[in-house]
Amino acid sequence: DIVITQTPLSSPVTLGQPASISCRSSQSLVHSDGNTYLSWLHQRPGQPPRLLIYKISNRFSGVPDRFTGSGAGTDFTLKISRVEAEDVGVYYCMQTAQFSRTFGQGTKVEIK
Amino acid sequence: EVRLLESGGDLVQPGGSLRLSCAASGFAFSSYVMSWVRQAPGRGLEWVSTIGASYDTYYEDSVKGRFTISRDNSKNTLYLEMNSLRAEDTAIYYCAKDHLGALAVDFWGQGTLVTVSS
């Protein structure tokens, strides 16, 4: 199975400042169809996760443009250009390149 | 509006069984890949199982042979039959749908709590 390692596990940020989360997979996430199936999700306390980014860099409907996904192969990054109060919570990357799906451990974003 | 409503979570003894259901509405259920994802208390997300639109099924290694995912398209309902339950199966179980053609989970239910304890 593909193992995904997220860093950092915790990220205290100042409102209005940028934040960045890294996700590294143990194998390439390029599917046989040529697409790379890496997505990013955000979970607020007591809530189910919600999709932010799919296929590395595609913002899901309604996601603000301060969220940007990038990367290729085994290394991926989620950037928040200017953190807002509603952005607190845990961020997960998820690979669906293989039938056996896996998540990163999660990165907790909190306001300093 | 997309809705996923899980039910069936309960307190069960180790070795026991439980069947979770997820009633779906607001989208063409039969066309979508559906999954179960769980989250143990205070822990991260863990993929459990996925069923495709063609009824192909996939399982996380620790649940293979114990859990069975299925779907009834006539009832727009997803199921997870869980047998030989263990303490480590204790978690909130989320029903989730894929974004069509994107292999990404784009909508989650509120979850149902399964507690395995004597």
Side-chain angles (χ1 to χ4, degrees):
Chain A
D1 289 356
I2 295 176
V3 175
I4 297 183
T5 303
Q6 269 185 247
T7 54
L9 297 184
S10 179
S11 179
V13 296
T14 302
L15 287 173
Q17 293 300 303
S20 180
I21 301 169
S22 173
C23 178
R24 175 167 290 178
S25 61
S26 59
Q27 302 175 38
S28 171
L29 300 184
V30 179
H31 193 271
S32 56
D33 66 7
N35 289 304
T36 301
Y37 292 109
L38 186 283
S39 55
W40 291 94
L41 304 105
H42 175 218
Q43 185 177 33
R44 297 188 179 105
Q47 294 293 316
R50 67 178 185 116
L51 179 64
L52 296 175
I53 303 283
Y54 64 94
K55 287 197 289 186
I56 302 178
S57 59
N58 294 272
R59 265 182 233 101
F60 186 56
S61 175
V63 175
D65 61 7
R66 64 178 181 275
F67 291 94
T68 302
S70 62
T74 61
D75 288 284
F76 307 92
T77 302
L78 175 70
K79 292 183 178 178
I80 310 173
S81 58
R82 294 172 306 279
V83 172
E84 298 190 3
E86 65 183 18
D87 299 337
V88 299
V90 182
Y91 290 79
Y92 297 92
C93 56
M94 177 186 185
Q95 70 79 19
T96 49
Q98 287 190 348
F99 292 130
S100 183
R101 301 175 167 193
T102 46
F103 292 91
Q105 311 98 302
T107 296
K108 187 174 184 178
V109 171
E110 53 192 0
I111 305 300
K112 281 182 186 175
Chain B
E1 179 191 4
V2 172
R3 294 192 70 180
L4 297 172
L5 184 61
E6 303 95 335
S7 61
D10 204 348
L11 171 63
V12 60
Q13 292 190 340
S17 299
L18 214 52
R19 186 174 88 154
L20 305 184
S21 300
C22 171
S25 60
F27 63 103
F29 178 75
S30 63
S31 298
Y32 283 79
V33 174
M34 299 294 297
S35 298
W36 290 97
V37 176
R38 65 187 179 184
Q39 187 168 35
R43 305 296 295 274
L45 301 170
E46 180 182 37
W47 171 75
V48 174
S49 182
T50 292
I51 185 167
S54 301
Y55 298 92
D56 44 316
T57 59
Y58 310 94
Y59 297 94
E60 192 270 326
D61 284 348
S62 71
V63 308
K64 276 180 190 173
R66 300 189 300 124
F67 290 11
T68 302
I69 190 171
S70 62
R71 65 193 302 160
D72 185 337
N73 290 340
S74 68
K75 295 182 179 179
N76 286 349
T77 301
L78 177 72
Y79 300 101
L80 185 68
E81 188 78 37
M82 303 187 294
N83 298 314
S84 303
L85 283 161
R86 307 166 180 167
E88 54 264 35
D89 296 318
T90 294
I92 295 173
Y93 284 72
Y94 293 104
C95 167
K97 68 172 278 291
D98 267 24
H99 190 43
L100 199 60
L103 283 180
V105 178
D106 71 351
F107 196 82
W108 304 65
Q110 290 296 312
T112 188
L113 178 62
V114 172
T115 303
V116 184
S117 174
S118 54

